[in-house]
Amino acid sequence: MMQNRFTAMPLFLLLLLAFVFAAYWPGLHGGFLFDDFANLPILGDTGPIDNWPAFWRYITAGTADPIGRPLTLLSFLLDAHNWPADPLPFKRTNLILHLLNGALLTWLLRRLGHMLFLDTDRRRIDMAALLGASLWLVHPLFVSTTLYIVQREAILPATFTLLGLLSWLHGRTALLHGRTLSGLAWTTVGLGVCTLLGVLSKANGILLPVLALVIEYTLLRSVPQDPLSKGKNSGVYHRAMLALAWLPASIVAGYLLQQGEHGLVHGIPSIRPWTLGQRLLTEPRVLVDYLDLLWLPRPFTPGLFNDNIQVSTSLWSPYTTLPALLVVLGLIGCALKFRRQLPVLAAATLFYFVGQSIESSTIPLELYFEHRNYLPAMLMFWPLALWLCSVRQSRFTAAHTAAVFASIAPSIRHRAKLALAVVLLLGLALMTHSSAELWGNTHDQALLWAELNPDSPRAQANAAVAERNAGHPEHAVVRLQHLLVKDPNQVQLALNLFNAECQVGSIDQATLTASRTALRTARDTGSLLVHWFERTMEQATNPPCPQLTFQTIADLLDAAQDNRYLADVPGRQQDLYYLQGRLALMQSNANVALADFNYALDLNVRAPIALEQAALLGSMGYQRQGLAHLDHYEAVRDRTVPPNIGMPQVHAWILQHQQYWPKEMAHLRTTLSEDASNPLLGGK
């Protein structure tokens, strides 16, 4: 019988993974989206990654947080070594990692079940572990994490967290059995090495030690006569936990408190349309909405759009603020109070809220993202799975279960629970399959997301782009016109309406005015500023509508220059002067362009911008001005601002060690000099 049990468990797990892979299959054929385009092009920033110098430049180039997420970048090399690239391998790797996490979660729940339920049928514990992991693995909420390529940044830290918890539990068991060195080694690997690997994937990997403490004080300490509470290795274990768990937990708590104090006293960046106090009032409502999506799943969710979240300005505005806060505090309070009587429910609850602590508290990130639930919800469905598999969780639940089902035959109860488990899995799988089908069709996805997010400027702008690409700019015009009246400072709505009307054949004067207004009042234009103006300037050489002229573009740039918010955003003023220089260059005003490029460089002296601007001058036939711009860089390069602490410093050291920028500058200077002296190339 023991042999059969160990044979059946892997077989059931493999069947589960195949089942989930089939549910996700349609989504593998979708394209890149949004932040994919902001993060993945570094695969080709300095050429193909086909040699060690290029590898080290790439792996240290991350800027998403101070650590740079190098392990996530490393994982992208499994899928491509250059850019542009095919999205299919990226999505396939994400799905494989998601399935791996499901297998690791099954192992973790099985291990915890065997440690917690000492007098229970082990086969029931195994099936509860498999079911609890299955409900998480096939949940439709995580389609937007798994199939959104850049969210490998959320998937990989979860992988290392699961590996770390398993390693820590193995070390704890080794200490229990008197294997001191082995136990300490496994504990150190779990809470030390795996935490480091998680942080190198994304900063919230630092939560691994805190999550271990949640499991320790809800589940493991609830075991009667826990052997590690006393005994010869208890002191060793407690000292190890002090160093590897309590110390990191204290650092995390201190950092979040410091961020809160700084944000409340000194404010947060102006690109956020809310204060930190308003964020702290809003996040309980966000968390309650997450829980709604987890426990009342649906095939189609708002997806990647979160810019229409109503901000809480007080406990009564909106009216759901105070109730949501009470719900969150009540859940946490009940979990703490009843952690002895209901250890599994307490563990699932506290694991969830601790997992949300970095991204849903005092750090001024955007308010809402579905992927933030990926790791925190991993224990969420285990209590339900234990009940469905008739694993006794506590005296409290056993008594109530007996009272409710006393008159029902055990075989009937068992079959009813089995049927419910099958219905739940099939229902979740069908919703996940429907969601994955949508992710495999970016056009339909954009239109549905716009329907589900009627007040989201990002969703509506995205749908308008899909309609224009499908040859229906008139639909985009209708979509955007009334929205721009409601949100006149939404630059993405204004510029997309500009493009749609031009594609139809004529831009209304009202749209031109609205575009100037939006550029003058938007808090931050993001990467849209440079990309839109570059594309529009190229179109102006052969305009699809009469209003698209260089003078129109100049007026729009002047409006952006008047934006007081952009003056506070690092790099935006440099972008604007670069665009002014590019516009002058396209009008054959090379000396004006050179002056603008020089001024743009002076605002933030960086070798890449100098190289790009000099190369642009040369490509337009103004090699001498390109050389002059390189000379200007040499004159001001001592004013280069040192990189921020963390991975940017490492990246700068790599480039300096390779002499990368001096070599690139020398190569460009040689090319410009040769072209300038070659009359066949028309050097100017």
Side-chain angles (χ1 to χ4, degrees):
M1 183 176 294
M2 186 70 68
Q3 181 64 35
N4 290 338
R5 180 165 62 84
F6 281 107
T7 302
M9 186 71 176
L11 177 60
F12 284 140
L13 181 58
L14 286 175
L15 290 174
L16 166 67
L17 298 182
F19 177 68
V20 176
F21 187 89
Y24 269 93
W25 174 256
L28 296 182
H29 305 285
F32 295 109
L33 290 170
F34 311 123
D35 286 352
D36 292 339
F37 294 106
N39 291 273
L40 296 178
I42 62 173
L43 283 162
D45 268 359
T46 62
I49 305 170
D50 54 9
N51 56 76
W52 282 111
F55 170 82
W56 290 114
R57 291 195 299 272
Y58 164 73
I59 208 68
T60 59
T63 58
D65 57 42
I67 305 299
R69 306 178 185 178
L71 279 185
T72 302
L73 296 181
L74 179 64
S75 74
F76 289 140
L77 292 180
L78 297 170
D79 312 310
H81 289 184
N82 203 353
W83 186 263
D86 179 6
L88 176 59
F90 292 90
K91 291 179 180 287
R92 184 177 58 216
T93 301
N94 274 23
L95 179 53
I96 291 171
L97 288 170
H98 181 55
L99 297 177
L100 172 63
N101 285 343
L104 292 172
L105 180 58
T106 303
W107 188 8
L108 175 65
L109 297 182
R110 178 177 179 272
R111 186 68 181 266
L112 290 173
H114 289 171
M115 297 174 75
L116 184 61
F117 305 110
L118 302 177
D119 57 351
T120 304
D121 185 347
R122 297 170 74 86
R123 289 173 299 180
R124 293 182 182 275
I125 294 172
D126 290 353
M127 293 311 298
L130 186 62
L131 180 58
S134 301
L135 293 171
W136 174 86
L137 188 62
V138 78
H139 200 290
L141 183 62
F142 304 126
V143 173
S144 62
T145 304
T146 306
L147 294 181
Y148 190 14
I149 293 168
V150 75
Q151 288 312 325
R152 195 172 302 176
E153 296 171 343
I155 297 173
L156 272 179
T159 305
F160 291 117
T161 297
L162 290 168
L163 288 170
L165 292 174
L166 285 165
S167 177
W168 160 64
L169 290 174
H170 186 76
R172 193 181 191 277
T173 302
L175 286 170
L176 169 63
H177 290 93
R179 300 193 300 272
T180 305
L181 291 180
S182 174
L184 285 175
W186 280 103
T187 302
T188 302
V189 168
L191 300 184
V193 175
C194 287
T195 298
L196 175 61
L197 295 174
V199 169
L200 292 176
S201 302
K202 189 177 181 180
N204 61 354
I206 191 66
L207 288 176
L208 165 55
V210 195
L211 296 174
L213 290 174
V214 169
I215 292 174
E216 173 78 20
Y217 286 94
T218 56
L219 297 177
L220 304 184
R221 293 296 176 93
S222 69
V223 177
Q225 297 179 344
D226 175 26
L228 271 182
S229 62
K230 297 179 182 180
K232 68 174 184 178
N233 275 333
S234 62
V236 174
Y237 178 71
H238 293 152
R239 286 191 292 272
M241 291 297 288
L242 183 65
L244 296 171
W246 282 108
L247 180 59
S250 300
I251 292 173
V252 171
Y255 177 76
L256 293 177
L257 289 172
Q258 184 273 331
Q259 287 289 299
E261 185 273 336
H262 185 273
L264 292 173
V265 174
H266 302 288
I268 58 177
S270 61
I271 62 172
R272 301 301 185 204
W274 31 261
T275 66
L276 183 59
Q278 291 170 341
R279 184 182 201 275
L280 293 174
L281 286 174
T282 305
E283 282 305 311
R285 290 174 38 234
V286 170
L287 291 170
V288 169
D289 191 67
Y290 289 159
L291 292 172
D292 173 52
L293 290 173
L294 285 164
W295 283 104
L296 297 174
R298 59 219 68 171
F300 307 118
T301 66
L304 308 183
F305 299 101
N306 54 71
D307 54 328
N308 59 336
I309 301 294
Q310 184 180 0
V311 174
S312 293
T313 55
S314 73
L315 288 173
W316 301 273
S317 179
Y319 71 92
T320 53
T321 302
L322 181 59
L325 178 61
L326 294 176
V327 166
V328 171
L329 293 177
L331 287 172
I332 295 172
C334 287
L336 292 171
K337 180 176 178 59
F338 297 109
R339 68 186 185 278
R340 300 295 186 190
Q341 298 94 328
L342 299 167
V344 178
L345 282 171
T349 303
L350 295 176
F351 195 96
Y352 180 77
F353 287 112
V354 168
Q356 292 281 5
S357 61
I358 287 184
E359 294 178 305
S360 300
S361 61
T362 56
I363 302 175
L365 305 170
E366 292 203 45
L367 296 174
Y368 189 111
F369 276 116
E370 290 178 1
H371 70 260
R372 292 176 182 169
N373 293 279
Y374 187 80
L375 171 62
M378 282 188 164
L379 301 189
M380 182 71 68
F381 308 109
W382 190 35
L384 174 61
L386 289 166
W387 178 77
L388 289 171
C389 294
S390 300
V391 177
R392 178 180 173 180
Q393 297 179 49
S394 72
R395 291 187 299 273
F396 179 86
T397 55
H400 282 69
T401 299
V404 174
F405 293 106
S407 62
I408 304 176
S411 61
I412 297 177
R413 292 204 305 269
H414 177 72
R415 286 196 295 269
K417 289 182 177 181
L418 178 62
L420 178 57
V422 171
V423 168
L424 287 174
L425 285 177
L426 289 178
L428 292 174
L430 286 173
M431 287 188 276
T432 293
H433 187 269
S434 298
S435 182
E437 284 186 320
L438 188 69
W439 275 80
N441 186 328
T442 53
H443 177 268
D444 290 351
Q445 183 183 51
L447 297 184
L448 180 61
W449 277 346
E451 183 179 341
L452 293 173
N453 298 277
D455 298 322
S456 166
R458 293 178 188 172
Q460 302 306 320
N462 181 53
V465 170
E467 289 168 331
R468 288 174 45 224
N469 291 340
H472 298 290
E474 68 281 2
H475 296 169
V477 171
V478 173
R479 176 183 298 278
L480 296 172
Q481 278 180 335
H482 75 280
L483 291 169
L484 192 57
V485 173
K486 292 169 56 179
D487 294 300
N489 65 336
Q490 288 293 336
V491 69
Q492 55 198 328
L493 297 179
L495 297 184
N496 272 290
L497 180 58
F498 182 105
N499 288 340
E501 289 187 354
C502 190
Q503 190 173 341
V504 170
S506 179
I507 304 175
D508 290 344
Q509 184 60 44
T511 300
L512 294 173
T513 301
S515 298
R516 288 192 292 270
T517 299
L519 284 166
R520 192 176 293 114
T521 58
R523 283 184 173 269
D524 185 24
T525 57
S527 59
L528 175 66
L529 183 73
V530 171
H531 294 158
W532 186 86
F533 274 106
E534 286 179 334
R535 289 193 302 268
T536 305
M537 288 177 199
E538 294 295 332
Q539 286 183 315
T541 59
N542 186 22
C545 61
Q547 294 81 10
L548 182 51
T549 65
F550 288 130
Q551 183 57 52
T552 299
I553 296 172
D555 291 343
L556 294 175
L557 276 174
D558 288 342
Q561 284 282 17
D562 292 338
N563 189 320
R564 63 186 181 90
Y565 295 114
L566 297 187
D568 297 330
V569 180
R572 291 292 177 257
Q573 288 298 308
Q574 185 175 66
D575 291 342
L576 287 169
Y577 279 99
Y578 156 74
L579 289 169
Q580 287 189 177
R582 188 182 181 99
L583 180 61
L585 189 57
M586 298 196 71
Q587 296 175 283
S588 301
N589 297 325
N591 289 327
V592 174
L594 175 61
D596 285 332
F597 286 163
N598 286 347
Y599 189 78
L601 181 63
D602 291 343
L603 290 172
N604 184 11
V605 179
R606 297 183 295 127
I609 188 67
L611 198 71
E612 179 183 356
Q613 293 180 154
L616 182 59
L617 286 162
S619 69
M620 298 289 287
Y622 299 101
Q623 291 87 5
R624 299 189 191 285
Q625 282 83 356
L627 289 167
H629 188 57
L630 291 181
D631 291 339
H632 182 75
Y633 169 73
E634 292 297 328
V636 300
R637 68 175 181 175
D638 290 343
R639 290 161 42 194
T640 301
V641 178
N644 294 329
I645 191 170
M647 192 57 72
Q649 287 183 328
V650 177
H651 184 63
W653 181 86
I654 291 289
L655 295 175
Q656 182 180 9
H657 179 73
Q658 294 180 2
Q659 290 292 295
Y660 180 78
W661 292 121
K663 291 177 182 176
E664 292 292 308
M665 293 287 183
H667 176 71
L668 179 59
R669 185 178 290 276
T670 298
T671 301
L672 291 174
S673 298
E674 291 175 352
D675 290 350
S677 61
N678 187 345
L680 296 178
L681 296 177
K684 303 173 186 178

